[in-house]
Structure formats: C-alpha cells, structure tokens
Amino acid sequence: MRLLIRNGYVMDPRSGYEGKRDILLDEGRILRMGDARQWSADMPGVEEYNADGLTVAPGLIDVHVHFRDPGFTHKEDIISGSRAAARGGFTTVVLMANTRPVVDNEATLAYVLEKGRKTGIHVESCCAVTKGLQGREPVDMASLLAAGAAGFTDDGIPLTDETLAARVMREAAAVGAVLSFHEEDPACIGNNGVHAGAASAHYGIAGSPREAEIGMIRRDIRLAAETGAVINIQHISTKEGVALVREAKRQGVAVHAEATPHHFSLTQDAVIRYGTLAKMNPPLREEGDRLAIIEGLRDGTIDLIATDHAPHSAGEKDRPITQAPSGIIGLETALPLGVTMLVCPKYLTLMSLLEKMTCNPAALYDMDRGYLAEGGPADLVLFDAAGRYTAGGYASRSDNSPFTGLELTGRVVCTVCGGRIVYEEREAR
C-alpha cells in the first residue's frame, strides 16, 4: 500500500528546505516529493492523507530513552514505550542499558532488538560500557557493535575511575563507537535528584551541587581530546558544563551534548512545587542554568534534544523526596515543550528545533534517518505547530511528569514509520 501525504508544509532540517509539497511513500521509502497534481492521475492502491495546515517533518529521533525492559516492566516495556514514542512523533528511539539483566551481552541485546522490531517504530539500544554497570570491567565493544549496539553508556551510573574512562575511550576510538556519559560525581552529592540550593534547603537536605557535573564534564572532555574518542555529554544541566562543551567544540574535540525538555523548561522551583514528580538526575537547577542551556541550543553547543524518558510507578514516586526514584516521562511532551519553550519565545526557529530532534541525533549514530528526500526513509511526523496540546492521558504505562495538565503549543497529529501510520489523532482525518 502506497501512502500519499498531500498539502503539508514540509520542513527538512538536513537540507534546509521548507515549503508546500506532497510526499508519496512506497515500500518504506519516499518515492516522490513535489506536486502530486503533476504525477500520474492513475495511482492504484494509494491511500491519501490530507496534511493541510500541518507541518510535515522527519520522524523524531531520541537517543536517550528508558523502556525498563527487561526487568522493570511494571514501569514500562518496549511495547508501551514505543506507543508513547509514536504518539510523541518519534520514529526512532535509542534505549539505555540499565535494565535487569543489564544490556551488556549479545543475548540481552538480541532480546531488546527483537522485541523492538514488533513495535512499528525503530527501536535501537545502547549497551553498557562496563559489565553489569559495575564500573570495573569493560564490555567487548567490537562484538556488541557487530551484534547491533548503537553505542555504549553506563547511564545512571557515572564512570568515576579515570584510568578506566581513558581505557574505554581508547577502545571506543579504535572500533568507532560512540560513548555517552552520565556526568555526576557521587563523591560530591549528598542527596541526588535535588539541586543544592533553594530546593535542597526547602527539604532540609544536602542535595546535589553543580560541581558534581562540572568536574566530570571537564575530565571527560580532556580524555576525549587525548584519546580521539567521540563522546556525548548526557542531559547537561549547568551553565559551566555548557561553557566547557562550547570551548571543547571550538578546539575541535569530538564532543556532543544533550539537553532535555525538562532542563530547558524548568528550574529547581518545580521541585519545590511538584515534589518527587520533578526529581531527576541531574537535578533541575537555577534560572541562569536554564537560560545557558537555551543559549547552548541556540548557538549549536548543544546539538541534541533527548528526553531521558524515565517512567516510574505512582507508588515509587509517592515516597519521601530522598527515597523516591529520579526521572520523568518525556516522549509525549517533548515536541510541544520545544515549540512552547523554545520556538514561541523565539529562542529557536522551528527548523532549528527540528534539527536537534531529527538529523543531528541520526548523525550521532550514523543512522540513515532524520531527513526527507526522494529515496530516503518514510519516517515522518505531522504536527500542528500552532495547535494546543494538554499534557496527560499518556500512552506510556507511567504518568510521572510535572507537565501533566499543562496546555502547550504544538500538537502531534500523525506519525508515520516505514511508510505506515503508527499513530493518528482520531479526529485528524
């Protein structure tokens, strides 16, 4: 079955093209782009979708997602997480390795990838950097890359041993692997998930100071420069961290950086207001940090927007602030938050926002995705850039989010992956 997307306003960040175009999809690829009125009037077996009034962009790509499968499927599993992704406009997700068992071997990786193939979207997975996430013995990166690993990360657990960090960077450089780092030094942290400042004072706890992130980022940039490794700084949260990445890029270090929607939208005030629903690692920090992250996105220092989608059950979040797990869900609110918090205030153009959610994350892992062109992948998101979206009623198995009930701008209407509609707002057609 061919699918013809008619009358949409096409935006392709990789080429910079924007304008009205029709797009004909066939066999998982884009067959034609242009004016369908000039094509053959006889196109048997073509299903049409009227995208008048909608923006048509490459399917979104998230390089930092937790689907909790295997081992913690009461929070989320690969099937429910993929439904949430599709509803949010994502056609590709890259899963983290902190499951049970850990994704540090070919068998567990195969389980994840095989289950992902049943979802309708592209589910990729990182493997752990160290066996069992123990921070002691590196995995065999070469064999896991050959088995389909997208990259490597001990996300959730910082790699504190500098000698080991240098070793894995050298090995990653040798085999062409990308390493993603969770930059929080536990030696600096009294209580994780809450910024050491007004938020920690409100709860009467020590909290997590900004220095926990700054020192780790500085170290890993230095090691990347020495080893030639390609590294990704995950969920950056401090203005000093942004400045370090900016200078490293200026010097030619192969460093990438992620910003999450919650870090460019909220500050530590949200933790005081929403409690554990706004507890996350690294924590929400100060307004100066939020604005520095936005400036990093604006000038290209931060080249990726990633959700760090982290589902937890209501019972787990309904605990005292020091006992509840950190993290929030984010796949279904990411694009609306980007439009509301970055595009509407004119920090970013819509094209720049899409760049950081499509072609840039695709480039990190050398994926043939994240763009619109004849012969390219038939992965698209159709959204109403001015439409209103009220966060809630999630497709995710969990609902731990401080954004629930918030009215945002930018409503996902339809998601197409491999030429097939995987999410459609009921009233859209």
Side-chain angles (χ1 to χ4, degrees):
M1 175 70 70
R2 293 178 173 183
L3 178 64
L4 176 62
I5 309 293
R6 279 190 177 271
N7 306 316
Y9 189 80
V10 173
M11 299 187 74
D12 176 48
R14 195 177 79 165
S15 67
Y17 173 85
E18 60 179 301
K20 276 266 191 174
R21 275 189 175 180
D22 301 320
I23 304 178
L24 179 62
L25 312 177
D26 184 42
E27 297 294 330
R29 310 300 289 184
I30 295 175
L31 185 62
R32 300 190 72 172
M33 296 179 65
D35 186 347
R37 294 173 299 181
Q38 299 176 1
W39 305 340
S40 170
D42 180 24
M43 290 192 293
V46 172
E47 179 182 0
E48 293 195 15
Y49 190 108
N50 184 10
D52 187 40
L54 301 179
T55 298
V56 180
L60 307 181
I61 298 172
D62 192 343
V63 298
H64 190 156
V65 167
H66 300 268
F67 280 176
R68 310 301 191 195
D69 189 355
F72 305 98
T73 53
H74 64 286
K75 305 170 188 268
E76 192 84 280
D77 64 22
I78 291 169
I79 304 300
S80 65
S82 295
R83 284 197 296 266
R87 185 173 179 181
F90 290 90
T91 54
T92 298
V93 294
V94 180
L95 307 187
M96 298 294 98
N98 56 342
T99 52
R100 187 169 59 199
V102 173
V103 188
D104 61 0
N105 61 85
E106 293 180 24
T108 307
L109 176 62
Y111 162 83
V112 170
L113 297 181
E114 178 59 31
K115 193 167 182 179
R117 282 190 279 271
K118 302 174 182 177
T119 66
I121 68 167
H122 307 294
V123 176
E124 311 290 348
S125 183
C126 281
C127 286
V129 174
T130 63
K131 293 181 179 179
L133 301 173
Q134 295 299 305
R136 292 193 292 267
E137 184 181 356
V139 298
D140 183 344
M141 283 189 259
S143 66
L144 289 168
L145 279 176
F152 298 87
T153 178
D154 276 8
D155 177 54
I157 304 176
L159 204 59
T160 56
D161 184 331
E162 181 170 334
T163 300
L164 179 63
R167 175 184 170 186
V168 298
M169 284 197 204
R170 286 191 297 269
E171 293 180 3
V175 299
V178 177
L179 297 172
S180 293
F181 287 107
H182 183 119
E183 305 288 37
E184 287 192 291
D185 185 351
C188 300
I189 299 172
N191 306 95
N192 69 15
V194 178
H195 177 59
S200 63
H202 173 80
Y203 290 105
I205 60 178
S208 175
R210 62 199 317 108
E211 290 76 16
E213 175 176 278
I214 298 164
M216 295 285 286
I217 291 177
R218 181 180 292 113
R219 183 203 74 177
D220 288 338
I221 285 173
R222 172 173 55 81
L223 293 177
E226 293 171 358
T227 62
V230 178
I231 67 168
N232 174 35
I233 306 299
Q234 296 179 300
H235 40 46
I236 200 164
S237 72
T238 60
K239 59 186 178 184
E240 294 89 349
V242 175
L244 286 167
V245 172
R246 181 178 290 114
E247 177 59 19
K249 286 192 169 187
R250 189 188 69 80
Q251 294 181 7
V253 181
V255 57
H256 302 267
E258 304 168 0
T260 69
H262 40 276
H263 283 110
F264 66 63
S265 299
L266 301 173
T267 69
Q268 62 179 334
D269 293 343
V271 187
I272 297 171
R273 179 177 180 182
Y274 297 106
T276 62
L277 287 178
K279 179 185 178 183
M280 58 203 62
N281 299 340
L284 299 170
R285 299 200 188 273
E286 301 173 12
E287 178 66 0
D289 299 298
R290 188 184 76 86
L291 293 175
I293 289 167
I294 291 173
E295 178 60 20
L297 287 164
R298 191 196 65 79
D299 69 14
T301 297
I302 302 171
D303 44 339
L304 310 167
I305 290 174
T307 67
D308 191 14
H309 177 81
H312 295 291
S313 70
E316 289 167 318
K317 278 293 191 177
D318 190 21
R319 296 175 183 170
I321 194 76
T322 56
Q323 298 175 25
S326 293
I328 70 170
I329 61 171
L331 286 164
E332 296 170 67
T333 53
L335 182 59
L337 283 169
V339 173
T340 303
M341 304 303 298
L342 299 175
V343 178
C344 289
K346 301 187 185 306
Y347 291 122
L348 298 183
T349 64
L350 183 56
M351 188 72 86
S352 182
L353 173 69
L354 291 171
E355 175 190 53
K356 292 162 180 61
M357 301 182 77
T358 59
C359 56
N360 283 4
L364 178 69
Y365 290 122
D366 195 25
M367 299 175 182
D368 180 31
R369 296 172 198 159
Y371 66 98
L372 298 177
E374 290 185 356
D379 299 344
L380 304 89
V381 57
L382 285 63
F383 64 99
D384 182 349
R388 305 300 287 171
Y389 163 75
T390 301
Y394 303 111
S396 171
R397 185 164 288 175
S398 296
D399 61 2
N400 52 303
S401 171
F403 298 114
T404 301
L406 189 66
E407 188 177 57
L408 303 169
T409 301
R411 192 180 81 252
V412 175
V413 174
C414 180
T415 305
V416 179
C417 187
R420 300 182 62 183
I421 294 173
V422 292
Y423 167 75
E424 183 180 8
E425 192 179 66
R426 286 184 181 177
E427 62 269 28
R429 297 176 76 183

